[in-house]
Amino acid sequence: MEEYSYEDLLERALKRLPSTKTHDARFILPEVKAFIEGKTTIFENFDAICGYVNREAEHVIKFLLNELGTAGKIEGGRAIFQGRFSKDEVKHQIQRYMDEYVLCWECKKPDTHFVKMDRVWVLKCDACGAIRSIIKRKGTR
């Protein structure tokens, strides 16, 4: 039986690993599809965005309604807001939601979920293990 040094085994293992490209493009939010129809704004791919960021639609809509300062509802996978809001305004608020409730503050990865510790909701990162409290807002979690 042959004996290998640690360095030899490590080199052999590294050669067998698939080559990977490291970049931050793993998590790119789909383009927000929102348009104005009369006095309302329709966020067409609302359910797709919620699914992509892995958050409940009710939590996301409460945040958006609060930040946009309007009333609205979810109807058939779309969010309908009372008032006229540009696609950029909706996109900006989605990015704010991501920064606050999805992306880890330590490693900036989206591998997070809500956990209740004692009586406080926290955002726990599955990638790096970081835990931080979630800002409690009126109307959200």
Side-chain angles (χ1 to χ4, degrees):
M1 189 180 236
E2 289 185 54
E3 286 191 36
Y4 295 101
S5 70
Y6 172 79
E7 288 79 17
D8 293 337
L9 291 172
L10 181 62
E11 189 174 323
R12 247 174 73 185
L14 289 174
K15 284 180 182 175
R16 291 182 180 186
L17 285 174
S19 63
T20 57
K21 296 179 182 174
T22 56
H23 51 77
D24 293 332
R26 177 176 83 98
F27 188 73
I28 299 173
L29 196 63
E31 187 63 31
V32 171
K33 294 178 185 169
F35 59 91
I36 297 169
E37 191 173 274
K39 292 182 179 180
T40 62
T41 302
I42 299 173
F43 183 177
E44 188 68 38
N45 60 339
F46 176 74
D47 61 339
I49 299 279
C50 292
Y52 194 75
V53 299
N54 196 25
R55 293 295 182 262
E56 294 176 18
E58 286 300 319
H59 190 257
V60 178
I61 193 76
K62 284 179 185 176
F63 176 86
L64 291 175
L65 294 176
N66 189 35
E67 294 302 307
L68 293 171
T70 189
K73 61 185 174 180
I74 300 171
E75 190 176 280
R78 307 182 316 170
I80 300 172
F81 305 120
Q82 290 180 8
R84 299 165 63 95
F85 301 99
S86 71
K87 179 176 143 181
D88 288 338
E89 287 176 286
V90 175
K91 186 176 180 178
H92 175 70
Q93 293 307 329
I94 290 292
Q95 188 58 54
R96 289 192 62 235
Y97 180 85
M98 298 269 308
D99 294 341
E100 199 165 313
Y101 294 106
V102 179
L103 298 175
C104 174
W105 281 16
E106 294 292 324
C107 68
K108 305 294 183 213
K109 293 202 172 20
D111 307 319
T112 60
H113 61 276
F114 297 137
V115 177
K116 191 166 190 177
M117 298 180 97
D118 296 323
R119 296 179 307 206
V120 179
W121 283 99
V122 296
L123 191 67
K124 184 172 186 334
C125 180
D126 295 331
C128 72
I131 296 174
R132 71 168 172 86
S133 63
I134 296 172
I135 299 167
K136 176 124 173 99
R137 294 171 169 262
K138 187 177 178 185
T140 56
R141 228 178 247 247

